[in-house]
Structures are given as structure tokens and as C-alpha cells.
């Protein structure tokens, strides 16, 4: 199976030794995205869980688009939260980006996230 690195300037550049996404066959594996604005490189919605979640979803949308996919192709997501108390707000924003069938998902509360953000989301998408 051939693998291809997917990258776009419309999502944050990796801050470590990883790729924004890897396309393996017809499966796209997107690395965890946080609320970094790709235009500035800064976390501009820090402390605002709704704003952070929208920025994360915009970053994910940009990576999906770079692979000629959209949220309808997503089959699995993982959400990491700095506080499980953010679950309701993140869930509300996240749900607005999907129509119809939702992907499988798990959500965890973790001690800390990169750059002290409150939410990180990774995705797996399937090109059908």
C-alpha cells in the first residue's frame, strides 16, 4: 500500500516530527489538531472553548479539503479535553460540522494539551 503525506498551508504546520495527515490507500489519518490559527501561528481563542473548537474544526476541514475530502468522509474521531466539563460545548460545536451519519468517536479528559489549549481532535477519513 502506498502512503502519501497530505499537507496544506491552510492548517497549522506540525510542531513536532509528524505530518498533518497521511493518506494510506483510501484511508486518511489526520494528526491531532489544536486551535492554532495557521495565518498567525498563534492560539488566538485561548480560554474560549467554543472559539477553540471552531478553530480546530476549521483546521481539520482544511486538511480534509487538501485530500479532496470533507466531513462526510470521516469515519472516526478522537477528542482530547483539558477538562471533561468542556464536553457539552465541544460536542455542540463539533456536531454542527457533520450532517447525517456521525463518525465513531471517543472523548478523553487529559492532564494537559500542547500550548495549554483546551481541545485537540484527530480524525480518520475514508475515501469512498
Amino acid at each position: 500500500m502506498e502512503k502519501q503525506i497530505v499537507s496544506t498551508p491552510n492548517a497549522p504546520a506540525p510542531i513536532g516530527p509528524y505530518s498533518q495527515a497521511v493518506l494510506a490507500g483510501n484511508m486518511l489519518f489526520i494528526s491531532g489538531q489544536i486551535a492554532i490559527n495557521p495565518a498567525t501561528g498563534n492560539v488566538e481563542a485561548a480560554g474560549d472553548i467554543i472559539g477553540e473548537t471552531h478553530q480546530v474544526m476549521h483546521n481539520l476541514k482544511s486538511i480534509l479539503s487538501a485530500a479532496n475530502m470533507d466531513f462526510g468522509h470521516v469515519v472516526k474521531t478522537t477528542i482530547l479535553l483539558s477538562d471533561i466539563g468542556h464536553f457539552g460545548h465541544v460536542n455542540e460545536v463539533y456536531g454542527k460540522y457533520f450532517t447525517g451519519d456521525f463518525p465513531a468517536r471517543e472523548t478523553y479528559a487529559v492532564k494537559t494539551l500542547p500550548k495549554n489549549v483546551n481541545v485537540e481532535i484527530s480524525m480518520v477519513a475514508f475515501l469512498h
Side-chain angles (χ1 to χ4, degrees):
M1 178 182 320
E2 190 175 317
K3 95 175 176 180
Q4 173 186 348
I5 303 302
V6 175
S7 181
T8 176
N10 298 320
I15 56 176
Y18 62 90
S19 299
Q20 287 175 334
V22 175
L23 184 63
N26 57 356
M27 301 291 296
L28 181 68
F29 299 88
I30 303 176
S31 295
Q33 296 296 304
I34 61 174
I36 294 175
N37 180 328
T40 65
N42 296 323
V43 177
E44 295 175 359
D48 172 11
I49 191 62
I50 292 171
E52 281 190 42
T53 306
H54 276 296
Q55 183 64 58
V56 169
M57 297 303 286
H58 287 296
N59 294 344
L60 291 162
K61 181 179 180 179
S62 293
I63 295 169
L64 286 164
S65 180
N68 296 314
M69 295 187 196
D70 58 33
F71 288 112
H73 292 95
V74 177
V75 295
K76 173 78 169 56
T77 64
T78 300
I79 300 176
L80 304 176
L81 301 172
S82 65
D83 179 341
I84 201 67
H86 294 311
F87 182 84
H89 292 298
V90 171
N91 202 46
E92 181 180 339
V93 173
Y94 169 95
K96 292 177 181 177
Y97 287 83
F98 295 93
T99 57
D101 298 330
F102 292 102
R105 180 182 89 183
E106 70 250 342
T107 303
Y108 303 100
V110 297
K111 186 174 179 180
T112 56
L113 289 166
K115 298 193 177 275
N116 293 314
V117 297
N118 294 296
V119 60
E120 178 175 350
I121 302 174
S122 64
M123 293 183 163
V124 177
F126 178 76
L127 184 59
H128 31 51

